[in-house]
Amino acid sequence: MNSFFHSDKFDWQSLLQTYAIPWGIKLVVALIVLLIGLWLAGLITALVGKVLTKANVDAMLVRFIDSILKVLLQIVVIIAALGQLGVQTTSLIAILGAAGLAIGLALQSSLSNFAAGVLLLVFKPFKAGDFIEAGGVLGVVEHVRVFNSVLRTTDNREIIVPNGHIYNGVITNFSARDTRRIDLVVGISYDADIRKAKSLVETILTNDTRVLKDPAATFGVMDLADSSVNLYIRPWVASADYWGTRCDLLEVIKTTFDANGIGIPFPQMDVHLDRPQTD
């Protein structure tokens, strides 16, 4: 400190040359690096987003990639700006790496869901609006987020399922195909006319406009069960018509069989009472 004092006077010129000017230049350069770097980070992120959008990448995945890329670029810019101020960035990077490792270990489950979310967004086994069964939940997909997915059940409940549970399990997508096959099994009594029953089934399927001609419906005798002759009925319908058609066909088959004397048996139990013998 004595170097700044000469004859009891403060040496402002020496202070400016030794500290103020060099540090001022470093500060200005650091600010320039920071401002230009942040602008470039935003520009690069926007360009990547446009390229992915033109490549028909899912909008949700584009937003996710943009956010991750922007954060990474901003971290690089901040480290570069700190380097202009003389900060030992090597040590800073090591500290950030150690902190990242500690956070990763603490949030292992969340990171697993994060990785699963990325894979779901990339490979897209389903999309918003699909009716799926996954993670033990059956419902319509409303949102696919980074850590979890939101499903709406048929009774209008909202269920949030961790992406790890979805991706690591079996995923059944009922909306993936345009058509679905309805599998029905109807039992008729042994004394019923099988040919008449099949003819009635054929008429029912023909009269329902929702039943597709191609692929054609199939039906016939499936099994000779203990108390019934089981008929299999397998029509094809549009996926959107599946449940409505299935319910209507069951009702029409029951009423038509009743009207034409085709009995549909149900389990019965015969109880025999033995009277005690009297002398």
Side-chain angles (χ1 to χ4, degrees), residues 186-225:
V186 178
I188 62 175
S189 60
Y190 269 92
D191 57 357
D193 188 337
I194 295 178
R195 293 179 180 177
K196 183 178 181 181
K198 291 174 63 177
S199 177
L200 292 172
V201 169
E202 183 177 10
T203 302
I204 292 171
L205 297 178
T206 302
N207 292 338
D208 195 321
T209 57
R210 293 167 298 183
V211 175
L212 301 177
K213 306 301 180 184
D214 185 21
T218 58
F219 55 91
V221 177
M222 180 179 187
D223 189 21
L224 300 177

Side-chain angles (χ1 to χ4, degrees), residues 21-168:
I21 294 177
W23 274 100
I25 294 174
K26 290 182 179 180
L27 182 61
V28 171
V29 173
L31 287 174
I32 293 174
V33 171
L34 181 64
L35 294 176
I36 295 178
L38 292 177
W39 176 76
L40 288 175
L43 180 62
I44 293 172
T45 302
L47 290 175
V48 171
K50 289 181 180 179
V51 171
L52 293 177
T53 302
K54 289 183 178 179
N56 295 323
V57 178
D58 186 76
M60 191 175 302
L61 179 58
V62 172
R63 290 194 297 270
F64 171 72
I65 293 176
D66 284 350
S67 61
I68 295 296
L69 180 61
K70 188 174 182 179
V71 170
L72 292 177
L73 291 176
Q74 287 176 346
I75 292 174
V76 172
V77 170
I78 292 172
I79 292 176
L82 291 175
Q84 296 299 321
L85 294 175
V87 177
Q88 295 295 325
T89 55
T90 303
S91 301
L92 180 61
I93 294 174
I95 293 173
L96 290 175
L101 178 61
I103 294 173
L105 293 175
L107 301 176
Q108 185 175 3
S109 178
S110 297
L111 290 178
S112 175
N113 291 325
F114 171 80
V118 173
L119 294 174
L120 289 175
L121 290 171
V122 171
F123 295 107
K124 293 188 293 185
F126 55 81
K127 62 183 184 298
D130 285 351
F131 185 69
I132 69 169
E133 182 178 6
V137 179
L138 186 70
V140 177
V141 179
E142 291 200 334
H143 303 288
V144 182
R145 297 170 179 165
V146 175
F147 292 100
N148 53 59
S149 297
V150 180
L151 274 67
R152 174 172 47 84
T153 62
T154 53
D155 56 353
N156 206 34
R157 289 179 296 151
E158 181 178 291
I159 300 182
I160 300 174
V161 186
N163 286 332
H165 292 179
I166 295 176
Y167 194 78
N168 293 327

Side-chain angles (χ1 to χ4, degrees), residues 130-133 138-139 172-180 239-240 242-243:
D130 285 351
F131 185 69
I132 69 169
E133 182 178 6
L138 186 70
T172 304
N173 191 340
F174 298 99
S175 303
R177 301 288 185 268
D178 295 332
T179 59
R180 286 185 64 185
S239 296
Y242 178 85
W243 289 108

